[in-house]
């Protein structure tokens, strides 16, 4: 959903804002369980994610052991790092988020390791000095509290997993979950779905 929604930011009349939240905390607070914990659902999801990747034209790579990689990697340090950047240099939030997505979902890198986090930050355009400072900030109380706050906010909007999008429209928040809800999102905000790879307005 992240990649596709970015394609619509200059086509639909929307202001797109990234909000880091901790998936592990959301799952724990809502009692949700990873889909792959049910063997048949996991088997289906593996096939479906490949179909979705082809449809949305994103470089998602799903191997037979992909779920082991997903469930065995903690995203907490990465999300705290992203939060630190959001608090200090928010102009890097989008390219950094997209780079983390690419490294985790396409290249299956371990985004919990500091050296990988710094490499991802460099790829997103951050200087070595800025990246190191953010990594040091990631374990600080202000960053931890900020991530807790945004996670709590997501829960208040009804989030129970990711990807989750909250559209503030007509004075109300509208939660959408899943990577296949952009057409429905468009209908709520009065915008037309133009397919997974829309052409910019002329």
């Amino acid at each position: 959903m992240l990649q596709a929604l970015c394609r619509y930011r200059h086509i639909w009349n929307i202001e797109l804002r990234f909000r880091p939240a901790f998936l592990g905390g959301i799952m724990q607070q809502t009692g949700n369980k990873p889909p792959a914990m049910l063997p048949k659902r996991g088997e289906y999801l593996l096939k479906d994610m490949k179909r979705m990747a082809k449809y949305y034209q994103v470089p998602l790579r799903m191997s037979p052991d992909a779920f082991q990689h997903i469930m065995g990697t903690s995203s907490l340090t990465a999300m705290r790092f992203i939060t630190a950047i959001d608090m200090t240099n928010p102009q890097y939030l989008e390219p950094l988020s997209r780079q983390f997505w690419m490294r985790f979902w396409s290249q299956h890198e371990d985004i919990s390791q500091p050296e990988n986090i710094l490499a991802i930050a460099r790829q997103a355009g951050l200087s070595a000095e800025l990246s190191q400072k953010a990594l040091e900030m990631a374990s600080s109380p202000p960053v931890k509290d900020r991530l807790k706050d945004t996670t709590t906010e997501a829960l208040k909007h009804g989030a129970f997993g990711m990807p989750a999008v909250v559209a503030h429209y007509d004075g109300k928040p509208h939660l959408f979950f899943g990577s296949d809800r952009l057409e429905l999102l468009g209908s709520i905000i009065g915008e037309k779905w133009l397919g997974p790879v829309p052409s910019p307005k002329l």
Side-chain angles (χ1 to χ4, degrees), residues 4 6 12 29 37 40 58 83 90 107 112 122 127 149 163 198 202:
C6 285
W12 287 352
Q29 289 295 316
M37 290 185 71
K40 279 297 179 184
V58 293
T83 299
Q107 300 173 22
S112 67
R122 285 196 301 272
S127 68
D149 289 345
L202 300 177

Side-chain angles (χ1 to χ4, degrees), residues 1-8 12 48-60 98 101 178-184 193-198:
M1 178 179 272
L2 166 68
Q3 303 283 9
L5 194 54
C6 285
R7 296 169 185 164
Y8 274 85
W12 287 352
D48 199 50
M49 289 180 75
K50 291 179 180 178
R51 290 190 294 239
M52 293 288 282
K54 184 176 181 180
Y55 175 70
Y56 282 105
Q57 298 182 36
V58 293
L60 176 68
R98 297 181 80 167
W101 185 97
S179 58
D180 58 347
R181 292 295 182 266
L182 291 183
E183 186 172 359
L184 185 56
W193 171 247
L194 302 172
V197 187

Side-chain angles (χ1 to χ4, degrees), residues 142-157:
V143 170
K144 291 179 179 180
D145 289 343
R146 173 71 171 270
L147 182 58
K148 287 177 184 176
D149 289 345
T150 55
T151 302
T152 298
E153 186 178 353
L155 287 164
K156 286 180 179 178
H157 284 305

Side-chain angles (χ1 to χ4, degrees), residues 41-83:
R41 189 176 180 188
E43 182 181 321
Y44 169 81
L45 189 60
L46 183 62
K47 296 176 183 177
D48 199 50
M49 289 180 75
K50 291 179 180 178
R51 290 190 294 239
M52 293 288 282
K54 184 176 181 180
Y55 175 70
Y56 282 105
Q57 298 182 36
V58 293
L60 176 68
R61 186 166 61 89
M62 296 298 292
S63 59
D65 62 346
F67 292 128
Q68 293 178 354
H69 164 69
I70 293 167
M71 295 174 66
T73 303
S74 171
S75 64
L76 182 56
T77 302
M79 294 313 299
R80 286 176 176 167
F81 180 85
I82 293 171
T83 299

